[in-house]
Amino acid sequence: MTTAASAPNLDKGLANTIAAESQMSFIDGQAGILEYVGIHIDDLARNSSFEETVYLLWNLRLPTRDELAAFRKELAAEYDLPAGMWEFIRGLPKSAKPMHALRTMVSALALFDPEADDPSPEANHRKAVRLVAKTPTLIAAYDRHRKGKDFVKPDASKPIAESFLAMLNGQAPTEAMTRGMDICLILHADHGLNASTFAARVTISTLSDLYSAMTSAIGTLKGPLHGGANEGVMVMLKEIGSIDKVEPFVRAKLADKSKIMGFGHRVYKAYDPRATYLKTFAKQIASDTGNQKLYEMSYKIEQIMEAEVGPKGIHPNVDFYSATTYFSLGLDIDLFTPMFAMARMPGWLGHCLEQLSDNKLIRPRAEYVGPHNVDYVAIDKR
Ligand code: COA
């Protein structure tokens, strides 16, 4: 039974509920616009760096040259892990999926941080820096561990994108690879109150700690309807296998009412602005690395989908061309979602700091739809 008092606004999926205020990213889903602190994402992807974007999200303005240099230094000083953390990674099962490993490692970082439960703004800033700086190291270290390779330590003289690729692959990346990685990081850094960001805000709204909030966020990002979709796209491209099989595959899925991974978005009903830039970039990097086939298959899927479901507002989302990009950068498929987590970490953290600056416990209500006045039946009478 529904009464106005018990369920004033039942909104499944919360699509029509505004649950927080944020000054970081603005999304116009109908027009296909994404801005960070008012700056168009395209402008940032072309001109900014990940570090500068993180500064922008946390300070709500671009840094001066000196401020950026100081911030890069602050981050780089935190790339390395505590000695106990390297040991911890060595103890993880090599068969674990990287997202399970990442969620566990980020949670474990708190065990080595004496400031984990210090709620002061200064300590929270230091923890936010640590989390952004150490997450790439965790991902690369776990990948090397599971492959039986020696760890490669982070390089504090290099930006995050470059240091990450060098740790992961054991060799210095090309300039194009570093730039590609940096662009992916910028494009994924924040995106309003998406499911994982909401999870982070819910956790911090209880006045828990930033490590717990990031652990919640990573667990939430993992699902195939959220961050896991980029892996789903690559699995689909592999399953299709060749360009001539694209059309029958897509048509069969649509006839079956199955979803094509990498298409559709809760907010964007126009073309996802992140996908616009990634599409151009994916084409370039795929051709540079001999992966044109992946791009061509993706493009063909897009053409069919545009004709069939485009008019319903279903277009490629950020995950669709990320798949070709990450694969061309040499990442294993199961590292795609950890990459997303590494990129989104500044957004999650920025939202937590915003939440704390004007906190109210996030606690929505459920509409009870079960029975009332039911007698308790003794166990031997059931
Ligand atoms: N492929 C084919 N059809 C799709 C589709 C897709 N990827 N995404 C949505 N649709 C169709 C639905 O079948 C539905 O059709 P109907 O009206 O005939 O029933 C309609 O579009 C609305 O879809 P719905 O699932 O209700 O939208 P939503 O806002 O709840 O879901 C997503 C958004 C992202 C969960 C959904 O589009 C999806 O599952 N996409 C694939 C996973 C993905 O790429 N996720 C990453 C998001 S960044």
Side-chain angles (χ1 to χ4, degrees), residues 265-277:
H265 197 275
R266 177 55 68 78
V267 180
Y268 292 119
K269 300 305 166 197
Y271 209 98
D272 183 333
R274 302 164 300 173
T276 316
Y277 194 78

Side-chain angles (χ1 to χ4, degrees), residues 205-220:
S205 83
T206 70
L207 301 184
S208 183
D209 67 286
L210 288 177
Y211 291 103
S212 299
M214 295 306 101
T215 307
S216 297
I218 294 169
T220 308

Side-chain angles (χ1 to χ4, degrees), residues 225 229 257 259-260 262-266 305 312 314 317 319:
L225 295 188
K257 291 243 164 236
K259 291 203 170 132
I260 300 284
F263 281 82
H265 197 275
R266 177 55 68 78
M305 288 293 280
K312 280 206 308 195
I314 312 291
N317 57 47
D319 294 310

Side-chain angles (χ1 to χ4, degrees), residues 50 54-55 58-59 70-80 109 113 115 121-136 160 210-211 345-346 349-350 353:
F50 183 53
V54 178
Y55 187 101
W58 291 358
N59 296 278
F71 187 54
R72 281 185 185 280
K73 239 173 121 179
E74 203 185 339
L75 284 164
E78 291 288 353
Y79 286 175
D80 206 349
L109 277 181
D113 188 343
E115 293 193 308
E122 297 75 20
N124 275 341
H125 173 78
R126 287 191 291 274
K127 282 180 275 181
V129 166
R130 277 175 209 138
L131 277 154
V132 168
K134 292 188 197 307
T135 299
I160 288 176
L210 288 177
Y211 291 103
M345 187 73 65
L349 288 160
L353 299 177

Side-chain angles (χ1 to χ4, degrees), residues 15 19 33 94 114 123 130 158-159 168 227 329 339 375:
I33 291 172
K94 293 185 169 153
R130 277 175 209 138
K158 302 279 191 276
L168 192 72
L329 286 172
M339 271 290 315
D375 288 335

Side-chain angles (χ1 to χ4, degrees), residues 262-299:
F263 281 82
H265 197 275
R266 177 55 68 78
V267 180
Y268 292 119
K269 300 305 166 197
Y271 209 98
D272 183 333
R274 302 164 300 173
T276 316
Y277 194 78
L278 265 177
K279 180 177 171 180
T280 315
F281 188 76
K283 185 177 184 186
Q284 180 64 50
I285 191 103
S287 114
D288 287 354
T289 55
N291 288 301
Q292 288 100 322
K293 189 174 109 180
L294 283 181
Y295 176 80
E296 283 159 14
M297 281 165 58
S298 304
Y299 186 60

